[in-house]
Amino acid sequence: MIDKRKFKDVLSLESVDKMSEFCVQALKEAEVNQKDIIRIRLSLEEILEGWFNSLGNTTCECTSGQKLGKQFIEFKVKGDKIDFQEDSKYYILSNSMLSQTSLVCKRSWFYQVIN
């Protein structure tokens, strides 16, 4: 089972390795097979690099744990919505590799209205 933990850092090329290692540790705790861990790590590094190139030095928060009996790993960044069609060069490989895993991956956007 995945332990509840958080990791927060400014998104940069240097912090991508720390964040992917955070994910690897959580996946090992969840007893995900090694092939899927490698695919997910490579995909995550590509996605985080794409976020960095699109959003610049923004904060990325990584969280792992359980909700309603389901294990999860979540990555959040603040910034403008990313156009995945326009920035697809960063996500083509990751989508291909993630589709080969036995895990469910979701993208979500949350908007906050500031008055």
Side-chain angles (χ1 to χ4, degrees), residues 73-85:
I73 304 169
E74 179 177 68
F75 293 84
K76 294 181 187 178
V77 291
K78 290 185 179 180
D80 296 330
K81 183 177 175 183
I82 297 171
D83 182 353
F84 286 99
Q85 298 299 327

Side-chain angles (χ1 to χ4, degrees), residues 46-108:
E46 182 179 65
I47 290 166
L48 291 171
E49 182 182 336
W51 286 354
F52 172 73
N53 289 326
S54 297
L55 301 172
N57 289 336
T58 188
T59 301
C60 184
E61 184 178 310
C62 316
T63 308
S64 66
Q66 295 182 54
K67 285 183 186 172
L68 303 172
K70 302 227 184 231
Q71 301 177 87
F72 73 92
I73 304 169
E74 179 177 68
F75 293 84
K76 294 181 187 178
V77 291
K78 290 185 179 180
D80 296 330
K81 183 177 175 183
I82 297 171
D83 182 353
F84 286 99
Q85 298 299 327
E86 185 178 312
D87 294 331
S88 64
K89 62 185 173 187
Y90 299 113
Y91 307 105
I92 292 171
L93 175 63
S94 63
N95 285 335
S96 171
M97 290 198 314
L98 288 174
S99 68
Q100 297 174 32
T101 69
S102 58
L103 304 173
V104 175
C105 301
K106 299 189 301 183
R107 289 187 191 122
S108 301

Side-chain angles (χ1 to χ4, degrees), residues 28-43:
K28 286 180 180 178
E29 290 171 8
E31 299 178 0
V32 172
N33 75 56
Q34 191 61 32
K35 278 186 180 180
D36 284 348
I37 290 174
I38 291 168
R39 287 182 181 120
I40 292 166
R41 182 177 191 153
L42 293 173
S43 298

Side-chain angles (χ1 to χ4, degrees), residues 2 5 20-30 37 73:
I2 295 179
R5 70 178 80 151
S20 65
E21 186 56 37
F22 173 93
C23 183
V24 166
Q25 290 306 315
L27 291 168
K28 286 180 180 178
E29 290 171 8
I37 290 174
I73 304 169

